[in-house]
């Protein structure tokens, strides 16, 4: 009689358990790669908004330098986050104060268009210098931005620049 011992038999192929474990390991790897891609896209978005904010602060600083008489008269000393009504100073004649109001309106309209929930403020004087602050809403940001003034919602990012004309 011929008897085959179970330990001497050779196993052929993979078991179902080995295949399931392999699929599980590959799935975790793919989830990790997806998380890296999402994190990279979010970081790219944040960098884009900061770049836009930097250009927007340069824009209002250039507008202030261009209207030196309005700057000296104090027309830029306290620009609020609201966008004021303004006449068209490109085709019509405007005073220094009207040009400052026009600059404020154009700047905050561009902030709202270029940044999600974007608003800008300018505070200061010619003698002390100016503080330009841009704020925008950033998705997925649950912590408070330390550069923001007190009372700003938690999902708001701020970009602050000092300017001395």
């Amino acid at each position: 009689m011929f008897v085959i011992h179970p330990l001497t038999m050779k196993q052929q192929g993979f078991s179902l358990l080995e295949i399931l474990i392999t699929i599980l390991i590959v799935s975790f790897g793919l989830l990790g790669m997806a998380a890296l891609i999402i994190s990279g896209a979010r970081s790219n978005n944040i960098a884009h908004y900061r770049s836009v904010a930097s250009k927007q602060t340069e824009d209002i600083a250039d507008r202030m330098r261009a209207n030196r008489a309005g700057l000296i008269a104090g027309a830029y000393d306290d620009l609020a986050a609201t966008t004021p009504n303004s006449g068209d100073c490109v085709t019509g004649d405007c005073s220094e104060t009207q040009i400052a109001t026009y600059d404020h309106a154009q700047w905050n309209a561009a902030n709202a268009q270029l940044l999600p929930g974007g608003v800008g403020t300018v505070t200061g004087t010619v003698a002390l210098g100016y503080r330009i602050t841009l704020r925008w809403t950033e998705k997925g940001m649950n912590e408070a931005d330390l550069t923001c003034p007190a009372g700003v919602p938690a999902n708001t990012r701020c970009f602050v620049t000092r300017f001395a004309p």
Side-chain angles (χ1 to χ4, degrees), residues 33-51:
M33 287 176 50
L36 284 174
I37 290 170
I38 290 170
S39 175
R42 185 173 181 275
S43 294
N44 190 27
N45 203 23
I46 291 169
H48 169 71
Y49 289 143
R50 286 185 184 214
S51 176

Side-chain angles (χ1 to χ4, degrees), residues 130-155:
Y130 291 93
R131 178 184 171 115
I132 303 169
T133 305
L134 272 168
R135 297 187 319 246
W136 67 93
T137 305
E138 196 166 287
K139 292 181 182 178
M141 181 181 163
N142 296 325
E143 71 275 1
D145 188 348
L146 298 177
T147 59
C148 289
V152 174
N155 64 343

Side-chain angles (χ1 to χ4, degrees), residues 46-61 107 111 115 118-123 130-138 141 145-149 152 156-163:
I46 291 169
H48 169 71
Y49 289 143
R50 286 185 184 214
S51 176
V52 168
S54 175
K55 288 296 182 188
Q56 285 302 102
T57 56
E58 289 175 15
D59 178 49
I60 193 64
W107 181 60
N111 290 337
L115 297 166
V119 294
T121 60
V122 177
T123 56
Y130 291 93
R131 178 184 171 115
I132 303 169
T133 305
L134 272 168
R135 297 187 319 246
W136 67 93
T137 305
E138 196 166 287
M141 181 181 163
D145 188 348
L146 298 177
T147 59
C148 289
V152 174
T156 303
R157 178 77 66 187
C158 293
F159 185 85
V160 180
T161 303
R162 295 219 178 260
F163 166 66

Side-chain angles (χ1 to χ4, degrees), residues 19-38:
I19 291 173
L20 288 175
I21 291 171
T22 303
I23 289 173
L24 184 68
I25 291 170
V26 169
S27 297
F28 280 129
L30 290 175
L31 284 174
M33 287 176 50
L36 284 174
I37 290 170
I38 290 170

Side-chain angles (χ1 to χ4, degrees), residues 59-123:
D59 178 49
I60 193 64
D62 287 344
R63 289 173 184 266
M64 292 166 75
R65 281 188 200 106
N67 185 9
R68 186 83 176 150
L71 189 67
I72 292 169
Y76 293 95
D77 288 1
D78 191 24
L79 302 184
T82 56
T83 303
N85 292 329
S86 169
D88 184 10
C89 289
V90 173
T91 58
D93 290 334
C94 292
S95 69
E96 295 85 14
T97 306
Q98 290 171 325
I99 292 172
T101 303
Y102 176 78
D103 288 344
H104 182 194
Q106 293 296 308
W107 181 60
N108 259 338
N111 290 337
Q113 183 180 14
L114 297 171
L115 297 166
V119 294
T121 60
V122 177
T123 56

